[in-house]
């Protein structure tokens, strides 16, 4: 081992506290990078393998009723590799002990062969036999939520008729990775299920003998799905086609794609913030070390060490800290990724999960961390090259102390001696104090931003279920009905208020932008379900116009006054040109709203509704649910409280759960920055503080000189950290938001207070640790010049 390497080890041991704190900052940045890259790779690879293994379709084509012979024409289309026709529908499940019916989707199984497309994974039991029309497969998540097993029976209402069916197996499928009831965005296994049943049974239940109402298509590699979709729509249009759509627009696939995109964006944006902070801290440490070791640098050069060898010694110090932090971060990132991957087995219904580490993430982690650390030290190393032996071994020129200002002089007249020493250092070295305050402010900004995200998730729930949706129950009909149905709903004992609604599937276009969504028809003076702007004021629905949620307006790149093209996918399928008359604040989904009568007029179907919102007397709610369950026209009943609970659960998983990890990381970063500021101040003044002890200062007075400076710098950093945190919260909120849900950047005064308390607590703990070292200082060794 060379003398310089032995000196390197001594230096690392001497600054072990600072090195550990800086390494921790680097480690958490690398942890997030490796963990998120691993999650992205694992989810993406598992999704690809699952889709491929169970032959998920590339194009879905719902239709009202199409004859079986049309499948041959669809299979003859260019680029189409395989075609499967099936029957799907909505059903209600009546479970003992529940007053409200549970919603389900029923899917047909081919009579004499396994599905060519959209297969299923059998997790328990067996598949239904072709000659037994009362046997079904049940979605595993729903079965587990209600403790159902193969051999149990279910009472199911399909198309108004009641059936008793027997469960013979539990299944999972790639098209139901994320299951949501119609009209909802949040998955809830306890409230929505999927049932596979023989095609013969479904054909009889929905009057579709010899026909199908959904076609599944697989297309060849390299084929363009828009061309196939256009050809499919042309063939199905005479039979009531609702418009084919690609896998990218499939609800389940959209959710997992958005989750992967969110993780990828966070992995690209957040770790560099932590690594930049680490580079800043390393710069300060190395800068102070080079300043303190000018004489040693001069001696090294005088004894024949070149500029490159001397600079390499300090560069090795930087690399040792950065590489150590990166190594720890990689190990912790793998462990955290393996722990979180189990969470995604609950979040998405994979029957298996392939955990894969991206080798590129390790290379990127080391490259970025070492690069960031090197960037912080290169500027300092230039000073090493410029120092000549003669100049380096001369004492440093005394700093130029400006005369104190009037304010500082007036303060010194009323302060004791230790306090005056603190004030003089702050006023005569403002650059160093500003750098320390900036570092602490950066740590507080991270805490403020993460507290803002926590508040944003809560605000999303509050806005959705307390401001926008003020109903208790929402119902959906099997098909659009006359608005005279409202009178029947109002006559139910316990129903206080009823608001009609109509939901229509449509493609919204603006220039080259396109979105497959739903237009919701609402009354002008809606009270139970409202449209509000960013100030929570009602957004009026005009007879000739459409109101878009803010997220949808961003997707389509439209503003108030722009014209939208609406391609309606139901009824007569008209194409409409409608101006945008308002932008609504909605944090879940990307809805569009029109005035109900205007929507019905555009569709050529006046006085029609497809659902309603109800406010119910809590004393009669169970009886209301029982009446709704017995109404043949009702396809589904949804309780707002159940939806709220599902949303809260959802936001505590997946990307939502990531906010807790980020909060913990922000706390580590904050402590690391404050502790480094304290350690650097102590390292700079260790000799001065020892001198104070020798001339008669007590331990408390010497500690006050050091910690008083830290306290004032910390207090000065608090307002700056609050401002930086306010703007950083917008960037972090944008990383968490997707097209399916938006998280607002909301920092309330209590959030700033909590972040400030976290910084003060970190400063207090850091001060205690530094004071402990100060009390243990050997005065003789501290006053000696180091060799």
């Amino acid at each position: 081992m060379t003398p310089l390497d032995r000196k390197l080890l001594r230096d690392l041991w001497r600054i072990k506290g600072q090195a550990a704190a800086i390494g921790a900052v680097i480690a958490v940045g690398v942890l997030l990078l490796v963990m998120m890259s691993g999650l992205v790779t694992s989810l993406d690879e598992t999704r690809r393998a699952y889709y491929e293994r169970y032959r998920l379709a590339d194009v879905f084509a719902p239709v009202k009723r199409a004859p079986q012979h049309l499948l041959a024409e669809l299979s003859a289309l260019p680029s189409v590799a395989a075609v499967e026709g099936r029957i799907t529908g909505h059903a209600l499940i009546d479970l003992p002990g529940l007053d409200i019916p549970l919603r389900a989707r029923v899917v047909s199984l081919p009579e004499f062969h396994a599905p060519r497309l959209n297969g299923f994974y059998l997790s328990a039991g067996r598949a239904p036999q072709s000659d037994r029309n009362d046997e079904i497969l049940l979605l595993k998540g729903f079965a587990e939520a209600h403790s159902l097993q193969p051999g149990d029976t279910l009472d199911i209402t399909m198309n108004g008729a009641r059936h008793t069916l027997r469960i013979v197996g539990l299944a999972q499928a790639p098209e139901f990775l994320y299951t949501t009831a119609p009209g909802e965005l949040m998955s809830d296994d306890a409230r929505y299920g999927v049932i596979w049943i023989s095609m013969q049974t479904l054909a009889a239940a929905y009057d579709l003998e010899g026909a199908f109402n959904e076609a599944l298509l697989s297309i060849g590699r390299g084929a363009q799905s828009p061309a196939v979709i256009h050809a499919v729509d042309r063939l199905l249009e005479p039979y009531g086609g609702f418009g084919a759509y690609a896998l990218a627009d499939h609800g389940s696939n959209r959710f997992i794609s958005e989750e992967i995109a969110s993780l990828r964006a966070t992995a690209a944006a957040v770790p560099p913030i932590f690594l930049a902070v680490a580079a800043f801290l390393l710069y300060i440490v190395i800068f102070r070390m080079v300043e303190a070791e000018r004489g040693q640098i001069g001696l090294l050069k005088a004894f024949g060490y070149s500029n490159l060898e001397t600079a390499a010694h300090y560069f090795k110090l930087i690399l040792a800290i950065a590489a150590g932090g990166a190594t720890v971060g990689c190990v912790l990132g793998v462990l955290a990724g393996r722990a979180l991957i189990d969470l995604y087995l609950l979040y998405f219904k994979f029957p298996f999960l392939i955990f894969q580490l991206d080798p590129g993430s390790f290379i990127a982690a080391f490259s970025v961390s070492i690069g960031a650390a090197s960037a912080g030290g290169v500027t300092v190393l230039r000073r090493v090259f410029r120092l000549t032996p003669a100049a380096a071994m001369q004492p440093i020129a005394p700093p130029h102390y400006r005369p104190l200002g009037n304010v500082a002089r007036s303060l010194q007249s009323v302060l004791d001696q230790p306090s005056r020493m603190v004030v003089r250092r702050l006023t005569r070295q403002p650059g160093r104090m500003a750098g320390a305050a900036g570092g602490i402010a950066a740590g507080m900004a991270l805490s403020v931003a993460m507290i803002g995200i926590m508040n944003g998730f809560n605000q999303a729930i509050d806005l959705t279920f307390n401001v926008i949706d003020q109903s208790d129950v929402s119902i959906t009909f099997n098909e659009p009905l006359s608005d005279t149905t409202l009178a029947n709903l109002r006559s139910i004992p316990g129903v206080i208020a009823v608001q009609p609604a109509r939901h229509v599937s449509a493609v919204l276009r603006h220039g080259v932008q396109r979105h497959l969504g739903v237009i919701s028809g609402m009354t002008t003076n809606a009270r139970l379900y409202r449209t509000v702007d960013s100030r929570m004021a009602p957004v009026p629905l005009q007879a000739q116009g459409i109101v878009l949620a803010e997220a949808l307006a961003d997707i389509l790149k439209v503003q108030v006054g722009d014209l939208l093209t609406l391609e309606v996918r139901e009824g007569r399928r008209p194409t409409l040109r409608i101006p945008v008359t308002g932008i609504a604040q909605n944090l879940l989904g990307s809805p569009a709203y029109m005035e109900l009568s205007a929507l019905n007029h555009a569709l050529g179907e006046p006085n029609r509704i497809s659902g309603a919102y109800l406010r119910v007397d809590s004393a009669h709610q169970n009886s209301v649910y029982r009446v709704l369950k017995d109404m043949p026209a009702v396809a589904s009943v949804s309780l707002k409280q159940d939806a709220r609970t599902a949303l809260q659960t959802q936001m505590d998983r997946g990307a939502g759960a990531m906010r807790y990890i980020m909060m913990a990381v922000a706390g580590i970063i904050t402590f690391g920055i404050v502790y480094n500021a304290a350690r650097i101040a102590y390292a700079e003044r260790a000799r001065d503080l020892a001198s104070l002890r020798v001339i008669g200062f007590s331990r408390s007075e010497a500690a006050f000189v050091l910690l008083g400076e830290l306290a004032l710098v910390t207090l000065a950093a608090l307002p700056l950290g609050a401002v930086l945190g306010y703007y950083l919260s917008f960037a972090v909120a944008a990383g968490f938001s997707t097209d399916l849900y938006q998280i607002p950047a909301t920092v309330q005064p209590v959030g700033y207070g909590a972040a400030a308390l976290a910084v003060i607590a970190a400063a207090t703990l850091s001060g205690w640790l530094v004071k402990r070292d100060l009390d243990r200082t050997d005065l003789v060794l501290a006053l000696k010049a180091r060799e």
Side-chain angles (χ1 to χ4, degrees), residues 28-44:
V28 294
V30 171
L31 180 153
L32 289 174
L33 179 61
V34 172
M35 178 187 70
M36 292 180 179
S37 297
L39 288 176
V40 168
T41 303
S42 299
L43 287 175
D44 209 12

Side-chain angles (χ1 to χ4, degrees), residues 40-313:
V40 168
T41 303
S42 299
L43 287 175
D44 209 12
E45 180 61 23
T46 303
R47 178 181 61 168
R48 184 200 62 77
Y50 194 24
Y51 285 5
E52 183 178 293
R53 189 175 302 177
Y54 293 95
R55 306 171 302 281
L56 185 62
D58 298 309
V59 175
F60 298 76
V63 61
K64 190 172 184 63
R65 179 191 177 98
Q68 288 286 343
H69 67 76
L70 197 64
L71 295 175
E73 297 184 45
L74 290 173
S75 63
L77 292 175
S79 303
V80 173
V83 174
E84 181 90 276
R86 67 180 185 179
I87 298 174
T88 67
H90 299 291
L92 295 178
I93 300 176
D94 186 9
L95 291 179
L98 294 180
D99 292 320
I100 187 169
L102 303 177
R103 292 186 280 181
R105 185 179 182 189
V106 288
V107 179
S108 69
L109 291 172
E111 294 293 330
F112 304 108
H113 60 83
R116 297 185 181 90
L117 298 174
N118 289 28
F120 57 84
Y121 169 79
L122 192 64
S123 59
R126 60 174 177 82
Q129 297 178 1
S130 58
D131 59 342
R132 297 297 300 271
N133 294 334
D134 63 338
E135 294 184 346
I136 62 171
L137 287 177
L138 186 62
L139 187 67
K140 178 184 176 183
F142 181 86
E144 291 178 343
H146 296 283
S147 301
L148 296 172
Q149 298 290 338
D152 295 339
T153 59
L154 282 182
D155 291 329
I156 300 173
T157 301
M158 296 184 293
N159 200 25
R162 193 178 182 90
H163 305 262
T164 299
L165 304 173
R166 187 162 60 92
I167 305 169
V168 297
L170 306 182
Q172 295 173 265
E175 64 177 314
F176 302 116
L177 275 175
Y178 186 92
T179 53
T180 56
E184 296 188 11
L185 286 174
M186 296 299 109
S187 176
D188 188 354
D189 289 335
R191 297 189 301 119
Y192 188 71
V194 179
I195 298 170
W196 287 266
I197 192 170
S198 71
M199 192 159 188
Q200 181 179 351
T201 302
L202 282 190
Y206 290 97
D207 192 23
L208 289 171
E209 289 86 353
F212 62 90
N213 64 5
E214 185 177 32
L216 306 174
L217 295 88
S218 173
I219 61 178
R221 292 183 180 274
Q224 299 296 321
S225 59
V228 175
I229 289 173
H230 178 73
V232 170
D233 285 343
R234 179 174 50 81
L235 282 177
L236 295 182
E237 184 175 4
Y239 303 95
F242 295 110
Y245 57 91
L247 177 59
D249 290 323
H250 188 273
S252 173
N253 182 71
R254 280 189 64 197
F255 270 93
I256 188 171
S257 297
E258 290 289 343
E259 182 76 5
I260 292 173
S262 177
L263 285 173
R264 186 175 283 118
T266 306
V270 176
I273 296 175
F274 300 146
L275 295 176
V277 172
F280 174 72
L281 294 177
L282 267 176
Y283 168 78
I284 295 176
V285 170
I286 301 302
F287 177 82
R288 306 288 170 82
M289 182 177 291
V290 170
E291 285 292 309
E293 296 186 353
R294 285 171 53 94
Q296 296 182 38
I297 293 172
L299 285 173
L300 290 173
K301 291 187 176 182
F303 278 104
Y305 288 98
S306 65
N307 286 332
L308 186 60
E309 290 173 321
T310 308
H313 164 69

